[in-house]
């Protein structure tokens, strides 16, 4: 890479992110972007070259002796992700959920126990119920902000699995404190970092050993790719993840790797705009008489605000709110059905706004929240905020009319 570098000052994070994985110039010129290298087969000059590459792979080098290992496009994306989050190596998986499952399978064996924050992405519980239990692995859910982690650790505890801020209600965790307890007991900490896109938060710098992202969300950023990423803090965990990754035959297509890399280049500007729009909407929601609580860590009223301010450099486009207590349980559905700019849909992290009613059984998993009013999750996109606010006004208008509330 040929960026002039000031010896006194390391490159800033945007600069590193923009240039990581850029192909070298050849014969005096070259493209800005890495080519999409699609292949199932790698060709070798001779049997010695074949043997050499196999040996280098076995020794842990990131070289491909077969298409499943991915070629230049994959390496460029891995480099850019490590530039984003720090760490040792990045592993690319077909979805965010498969990245989570990879970590659980790689680190846990029959008889092992793992402590899992009760506010994590809900499908983790399905992986537990349908796969891990059958393998004799026990997950135990705990409140990361109220339970004493040290008191929950058993002799067979091998992993603490977290997500901060959490899904749906954005509970911010004291990762350095939780990681310090785990470290004292020699237990690895993995955390889901999808909310921040890796741009507003670097969990490995705060004590985590593994960071997981659904690149499906902010990294790809355009609602057109499914992808997951696991980032390790050093060679020992890279070896464990790599072994399970190989055994499961995981890989992603070069086109998807390219789309994620393209998304990464504009991650900082997109997230800055998501943050501006989401902050405006969160502040507006706080003023609405039908709203009981707004969940957005950048708001000073949010219980996680102080921790967020200490450890994060920004907030994403996810804003949830609970209706005031006493509002009918059907208000969430009436609200989202009245919206025209916010589409209804799962997932998030694209350029567009989405709204979804949080299912009560999902909310009950989060011990930190004991409210009973309906909760709506918004993903605030890049549309004009005034149009979004007008749309939300329409949503509240629908609720007021249907339930004859005071406006
Ligand atoms: C969406 C999501 C995932 C799963 O990602 P997929 O690519 O949809 O499988 C994991 N964690 C969090 C926090 C998510 O929001």
């Amino acid at each position: 890479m040929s960026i002039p570098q000031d010896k006194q000052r390391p490159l800033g994070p945007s600069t590193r992110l923009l240039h990581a994985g850029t192909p070298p110039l050849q014969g005096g010129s070259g493209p800005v972007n890495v080519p999409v290298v699609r292949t199932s087969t790698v060709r070798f000059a001779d049997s010695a070259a074949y043997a050499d590459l196999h040996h280098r792979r076995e020794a842990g080098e990131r070289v491909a002796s077969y298409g499943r290992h991915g070629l230049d496009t994959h390496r460029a994306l891995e480099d850019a992700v490590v530039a984003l989050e720090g760490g040792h190596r990045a592993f690319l998986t077909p979805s965010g959920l498969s990245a989570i499952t990879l970590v659980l399978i790689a680190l846990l064996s029959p008889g092992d126990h793992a402590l899992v924050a009760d506010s994590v992405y809900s499908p983790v519980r399905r992986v537990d119920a349908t796969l891990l239990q059958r393998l004799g692995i026990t997950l135990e859910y705990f409140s990361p902000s109220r339970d004493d982690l040290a008191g929950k650790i058993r002799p067979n505890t091998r992993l603490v699995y977290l997500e901060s801020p959490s899904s749906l209600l954005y509970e911010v965790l004291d990762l350095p404190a939780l990681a310090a307890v785990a470290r004292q007991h020699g237990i690895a900490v993995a955390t889901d970092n999808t909310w921040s896109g890796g741009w507003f938060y670097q969990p490995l710098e705060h004590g985590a050993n593994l960071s997981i992202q659904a690149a499906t969300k902010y990294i790809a950023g355009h609602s057109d790719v499914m992808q997951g990423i696991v980032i390790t803090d050093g060679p020992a965990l890279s070896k464990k993840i790599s072994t399970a990754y190989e055994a499961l035959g995981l890989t992603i297509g070069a086109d998807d790797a390219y789309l994620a890399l393209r998304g990464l280049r504009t991650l900082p500007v997109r997230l800055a705009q998501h943050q501006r729009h989401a902050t405006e909407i969160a502040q507006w929601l706080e003023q609405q008489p039908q709203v009981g609580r707004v969940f957005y860590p950048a708001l000073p009223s949010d219980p996680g605000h102080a921790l967020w301010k200490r450890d994060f450099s920004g907030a994403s486009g996810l804003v949830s709110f609970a209706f005031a207590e006493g509002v009918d349980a059907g208000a969430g559905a009436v609200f989202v059905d009245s919206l025209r700019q916010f589409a209804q849909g799962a997932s998030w992290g694209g350029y567009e706004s989405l709204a979804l009613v949080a299912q009560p059984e999902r909310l009950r998993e989060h011990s930190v929240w004991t409210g009973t009013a309906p909760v709506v999750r918004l993903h605030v996109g890049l549309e004009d905020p005034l149009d979004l606010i007008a749309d939300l006004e329409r949503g509240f208008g629908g609720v007021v009319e249907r339930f004859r509330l005071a406006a």
Side-chain angles (χ1 to χ4, degrees):
M1 197 166 48
S2 58
I3 312 161
Q5 190 171 349
D6 184 343
K7 284 198 183 63
Q8 306 304 313
R9 196 177 62 83
L11 293 171
S14 289
T15 311
R16 278 187 282 119
L17 185 60
L18 287 182
H19 296 292
T22 298
L25 301 179
Q26 280 178 341
S29 67
V32 170
N33 286 303
V34 68
V36 178
V37 182
R38 299 189 194 90
T39 197
S40 60
T41 302
V42 174
R43 295 187 300 141
F44 298 93
D46 51 33
S47 52
Y50 182 70
D52 175 55
L53 212 73
H54 266 283
H55 288 137
R56 286 168 56 196
R57 241 196 101 64
E58 303 269 287
E61 266 190 68
R62 288 190 310 146
V63 289
S65 54
Y66 183 50
R68 202 171 54 225
H69 310 138
L71 279 91
D72 308 32
T73 326
H74 300 72
R75 292 298 91 76
L77 175 57
E78 290 162 6
D79 289 349
V81 166
V82 169
L84 178 71
E85 290 222 23
H88 181 246
R89 269 193 72 175
F91 295 85
L92 310 174
T93 70
S95 66
L97 186 57
S98 61
I100 295 170
T101 306
L102 169 63
V103 166
L104 297 171
I105 289 289
L107 269 66
L108 299 171
S109 300
D112 285 350
H113 171 255
L115 287 160
V116 177
D118 61 16
S119 52
V120 296
Y121 179 65
S122 196
V124 171
R125 293 174 189 250
R126 216 159 51 226
V127 177
D128 175 12
T130 59
L131 177 67
L132 301 179
Q133 285 179 21
R134 193 155 56 74
L135 299 178
I137 294 163
T138 306
L139 300 197
E140 181 183 341
Y141 301 90
F142 77 108
S143 166
S145 40
R146 293 193 288 190
D147 288 342
D148 167 36
L149 177 61
K152 297 236 148 227
I153 291 171
R154 304 181 191 170
N156 60 340
T157 306
R158 297 283 174 264
L159 176 70
V160 174
Y161 182 85
L162 308 169
E163 181 181 327
S164 180
S166 68
S167 281
L168 291 178
L169 304 177
Y170 322 121
E171 178 185 12
V172 185
L173 309 189
D174 191 346
L175 178 58
L178 294 164
V181 173
R183 199 176 317 114
Q184 274 166 12
H185 292 81
I187 298 168
V189 174
T191 192
D192 186 324
N193 192 26
T194 304
W195 182 91
S196 88
W199 179 247
F200 288 143
Y201 189 47
Q202 286 75 39
L204 301 183
E205 285 176 14
H206 295 277
N209 306 106
L210 295 143
S211 176
I212 299 167
Q213 275 204 60
T216 307
K217 311 282 170 57
Y218 282 127
I219 286 186
H222 294 74
S223 303
D224 54 3
V225 182
M226 298 298 302
Q227 196 175 115
I229 301 176
V230 176
I231 304 138
T232 58
D233 69 345
L237 279 175
S238 293
K239 180 97 181 84
K240 275 197 176 177
I241 298 290
S242 168
T243 303
Y245 185 91
E246 287 277 314
L248 292 166
L250 295 176
T251 189
I252 66 166
D255 295 277
D256 285 347
Y258 182 83
L259 285 172
L261 188 59
R262 186 164 79 166
L264 258 183
R265 306 298 192 199
T266 59
L267 180 71
V269 284
R270 284 186 287 108
L271 275 176
Q273 188 83 331
H274 281 292
Q275 167 169 251
R276 270 194 291 278
H277 292 187
T279 302
E280 201 171 317
I281 281 175
Q283 287 168 346
W284 181 84
L285 283 168
E286 274 195 313
Q287 309 302 317
Q288 305 312 303
Q290 297 85 11
V291 170
R293 165 84 197 270
V294 180
F295 305 89
Y296 193 59
L299 289 179
S301 62
D302 191 284
H305 184 69
L307 283 176
W308 170 80
K309 221 169 150 177
R310 187 190 72 185
D311 293 347
F312 290 73
S313 60
S316 70
L318 285 169
V319 179
S320 296
F321 70 89
F323 281 90
E325 283 298 321
V327 169
D328 191 279
V334 171
F335 180 85
V336 296
D337 287 345
S338 307
L339 302 174
R340 291 183 210 153
Q341 298 301 334
F342 285 82
Q344 286 186 53
S347 199
W348 44 270
Y351 51 84
E352 80 289 12
S353 289
L354 294 168
L356 205 66
V357 182
Q359 296 171 295
E361 57 273 32
R362 295 283 84 80
L363 290 171
R364 279 195 291 275
E365 292 168 354
H366 299 233
S367 59
V368 78
W369 173 242
T370 52
T372 57
V375 171
V376 172
R377 180 185 78 188
L378 302 175
H379 177 251
V380 180
L382 306 179
E383 301 90 342
D384 294 293
L386 287 179
D387 292 335
L388 297 178
I389 287 176
D391 204 32
L392 298 173
E393 261 171 353
R394 189 161 29 234
F396 287 118
V399 171
V400 165
E401 192 175 308
R402 169 74 175 73
F403 299 104
R404 302 179 191 289
L405 300 178

